[in-house]
Amino acid sequence: MAVIEIKQVAKNFGAFTALHSVDLTIADQEFMVLLGASGCGKTTLLRIIAGLETPTAGEVWIGGRRVDHLPPRERGIAMVFQNYAVFPHLTVFENIAFGLRMKKMDQAEVTRRVTRTAELMHIEQLLKRYSGELSGGQRQRVAVARALAMEPDVILMDEPLSNLDALLRLEMRAELKGVLAESNTTTIYVTHDQVEAMSLADRISVMNGGRIVQAANPVEVYRNPAARFVGSFIGNPPMNFLTATPVGPGKWQVAGQTYDGPHAQAAEFAVRPEDLHPADHGLPAEVRVVEPLGPHTLVTTTVAGQPFRAVLESTLMPRPGDVIHLAPVPDRIRWFDPATQTALC
Amino acid sequence: MPRLLPYLLLLPATAFLCLFFLYPFVQVAHDSVMRGGVYTLENFTRMAGHWKFSTAFWNTMLLAAVVVPVQLAMALTMASIVTKLQRGRSSILYIFAIPLGISDLAAGLIWLSVFEQSGFLNSLLVGLGVVDRPILLLGYQNTWVIFIAIALAEVWRATAIMMVILVAGMGLIPKEYGEAADVFGASRWQKFRRVTLPMLKPSLQTALILRVILAFEVFAVVVALGGTQLPVLMSETYHWQFAMQERGVAAAYAMVILAVSVAFTILILRLLHVPKGARV
């Protein structure tokens, strides 16, 4: 049982604030992904949980125990590093056994655990090799096996797939999800790759500028971004934003069209590219670029002078220069406060 | 032409080394087996037959056996501390490196001024009332004091070179390995023993080979502090060459020093060998 509680954790590096008072609770056996661009503080937060970095303020609790003053080895965690950190002077077997040896576990148990996790990660034939003789993907497997062999309460992963090529990343992603689901551990996984985040997470914490902007399940984060940043960061292509002018209580005019919206002073209209379809009446869009992608066609347009993208059926082939009308699915329209950049209901 | 250029550029240095190192070396090797115009092993039998040979041999070995491990332990400790420093690191490295800039004879003389009858140590002992009058520390009655003085001077003089090599080596170990060791439960000592030390092997090799070879060639410090009280291989070489005018025996001594150096170099390379796949 390992619930992780992060209470008002802040971290400064000199004058630079990497984390502004972050609060986050991660449930037992939950797969939490920390997602954000580089420099958003996600790795710093992970390293604080690991004990590799000391928070400037705040508390970290793991399994009901306050751990922020404890060294990493007393926190009941295991970690997978971005560059694997597979020890070059040890064989694969001894790498996986490293943590168990530190605990002075008896040889029979070490062998049992190493064999089991090696089989799980399909590297049982590599146990006698050194890391210099392994490919990047194999090293990654060793790093994961080393973490799993500890049978930890918590596994921390720092961009574990970012050094693998695209195809291998896809394969490892699916495998990691399966393996970690069976391991009954709480997982915190740092990535800048939104697809990885969406596919792996029970919950995603989207981070920006040292703050958690939204922590919710992937569908919720995708459909109902709590902030403009989340909409623009998640989704490929990202969410479209258009300026809106109020024309009555709860009525907003966007590029000549009127939509029902929030009762507010000012608002920005937003819709995802795939929530649009061509119609007789809709947002007038001047086509700039047409990219047929196979299953669908990505159309880049301008609406009232603002960039606007739509994902349309592949049978539709507008040409650059055409003006098409795009109608948003009504219940998919979102509104943001231009001042605070947060979602309006 | 561009293919030959590197060789051309290396030629002067290579020629220099051949002329001033390889040629004299061959000549010394030749001298060691030549006596009275005939090839013979008599130089070696004369050397080995002299009563000072085994004393000089074992003194040299014992000095190396005491000095090098002490230096290794100190250099490792100092390098570990220096590596962890956030600031002031280079200043401390410079301070530690000062003895490196002093010639070994000067180093011997500095320690002589500590240990001689009118030296600092005697002044201190008399000043504190431990002894009534200055005592003869470096006399023939207690060669063990001479030995300790030489060992101290050597440690003081040449630990920094090892430390500098080890600091550079530690800097090459990526930080993630230490962090992985922390996360996977290693204590500070276990991390040093199981991660830092094995990954430091290439630097340890360099530092040890350098120090061991220099330890077998110890000379000026020994002469300054012990005169002829504590014969070592190098001082005997000098003695046979210049005092006895026995060029052949001196050459034989030189060959013994060479043989010991080569043997230990091979031993160190073997012991600290890193298999190909296990390199960083």
Side-chain angles (χ1 to χ4, degrees), chain A residues 164-186:
Chain A
L164 301 180
D165 62 60
L167 208 66
L168 204 55
R169 202 179 314 160
L170 214 68
E171 187 189 311
M172 273 301 280
R173 194 172 80 198
E175 211 172 310
L176 267 185
K177 187 168 184 169
V179 166
L180 288 168
E182 276 173 38
S183 71
N184 301 327
T185 58
T186 309

Side-chain angles (χ1 to χ4, degrees), chain A residues 296-317:
Chain A
H296 43 72
T297 299
L298 175 60
V299 183
T300 305
T301 72
T302 44
V303 172
Q306 299 157 82
F308 196 82
R309 273 183 284 218
V311 172
L312 304 177
E313 266 183 56
S314 54
T315 49
L316 293 164
M317 272 295 178

Side-chain angles (χ1 to χ4, degrees), chain B residues 137-148:
Chain B
L137 290 163
L138 300 174
Y140 69 93
Q141 302 95 325
N142 31 12
T143 43
W144 63 272
V145 183
I146 301 178
F147 186 90
I148 289 171

Side-chain angles (χ1 to χ4, degrees), chain A residues 237-243 254-255 259 269-277 282-289 298-312 324-328:
Chain A
M239 208 168 208
N240 291 305
F241 299 93
L242 294 172
T243 50
V254 180
Y259 296 99
F269 169 95
V271 67
R272 289 221 172 259
E274 59 273 26
D275 296 331
L276 294 160
H277 54 86
L283 300 160
E286 191 186 341
V287 177
R288 297 267 176 221
V289 182
L298 175 60
V299 183
T300 305
T301 72
T302 44
V303 172
Q306 299 157 82
F308 196 82
R309 273 183 284 218
V311 172
L312 304 177
I324 54 174
H325 290 270
L326 296 169

Side-chain angles (χ1 to χ4, degrees), chain B residues 124-160:
Chain B
L124 187 73
L125 292 178
V126 173
L128 290 173
V130 180
V131 291
D132 297 333
R133 55 197 165 80
I135 43 171
L136 180 63
L137 290 163
L138 300 174
Y140 69 93
Q141 302 95 325
N142 31 12
T143 43
W144 63 272
V145 183
I146 301 178
F147 186 90
I148 289 171
I150 293 168
L152 266 175
E154 279 290 290
V155 167
W156 173 83
R157 186 178 73 82
T159 302

Side-chain angles (χ1 to χ4, degrees), chain A residues 52 72 81 85 87 98, chain B residues 173-187 191-192 195-196 199:
Chain A
L52 297 171
F81 291 82
F87 299 117
F98 187 86
Chain B
I173 302 175
K175 231 178 73 192
E176 271 196 342
Y177 293 116
E179 291 182 345
D182 282 338
V183 166
F184 287 98
S187 65
K191 184 162 74 164
F192 178 75
V195 179
T196 310
M199 295 187 74

